[in-house]
Amino acid sequence: MQQQIVRPWRREKKTMTKPSEEYIRIAAVFEAAKGSIVLITGFGLLLFIHKDLHLVSEQIVRHLHLNPARHYPTIFIDVIDHITDPQLFVLALSAFLYAVVRLVEAYGLWYHRRWAEWFGFLTGGMYIPVEIYELVRGVTAIKLTIFIVNLMVVSLLGTELQRSRK
């Protein structure tokens, strides 16, 4: 007699309705995009190891048509000037780890894993108080868009988690 292996972290697909499945997949694509962008950025940081960052920062300021002698461009150039190669490596490594977390979450959401829904709900929910604080400090289109998208994703995941409990 053969026993079936019980995997409580998996969920049957039939518990999801068609619209919520599509929305969860959209959230998965969103998380994968965030992870991919951060991964590319991390690899980009590695390109600056053993480079003259002062020269690079001045080129960025000039490319943006900013006056390097003004206050904020000077601060930017000074900060970049003090970044060391080990610090760049740690930033790139941190970007890689963050990207892995986002891509694993995207995988879990795409395949409707309950752990990924919980993870997305909790990590997305952590940002809501910060986003509200930023909106109180001053409303901009970018801040409002980020808040609304995050609130929609957290609401979707929370609704799906509650629906799956029944």
Side-chain angles (χ1 to χ4, degrees), residues 71-154:
H71 181 68
Y72 291 114
T74 302
I75 292 172
F76 173 73
I77 291 170
D78 287 343
V79 167
I80 297 297
D81 215 16
H82 290 92
I83 294 178
T84 63
D85 285 348
Q87 289 172 328
L88 272 177
F89 183 78
V90 168
L91 285 171
L93 181 63
S94 299
F96 174 75
L97 294 174
Y98 178 84
V100 166
V101 168
R102 290 293 148 217
L103 292 170
V104 167
E105 179 186 359
Y107 170 86
L109 289 173
W110 186 265
Y111 289 103
H112 312 295
R113 301 296 190 250
R114 189 165 172 82
W115 59 262
E117 291 171 1
W118 271 109
F119 185 77
F121 177 75
L122 293 172
T123 58
M126 285 183 349
Y127 292 115
I128 290 176
V130 175
E131 292 165 352
I132 290 171
Y133 173 76
E134 285 298 321
L135 285 170
V136 168
R137 288 185 58 210
V139 177
T140 65
I142 293 174
K143 289 179 186 179
L144 191 59
T145 302
I146 290 170
F147 175 69
I148 290 171
V149 168
N150 190 33
L151 196 59
M152 287 172 50
V153 169
V154 170

Side-chain angles (χ1 to χ4, degrees), residues 20-32:
S20 67
E21 184 175 329
E22 291 172 5
Y23 293 139
I24 297 277
R25 289 231 164 136
I26 291 170
V29 169
F30 181 68
E31 292 301 323

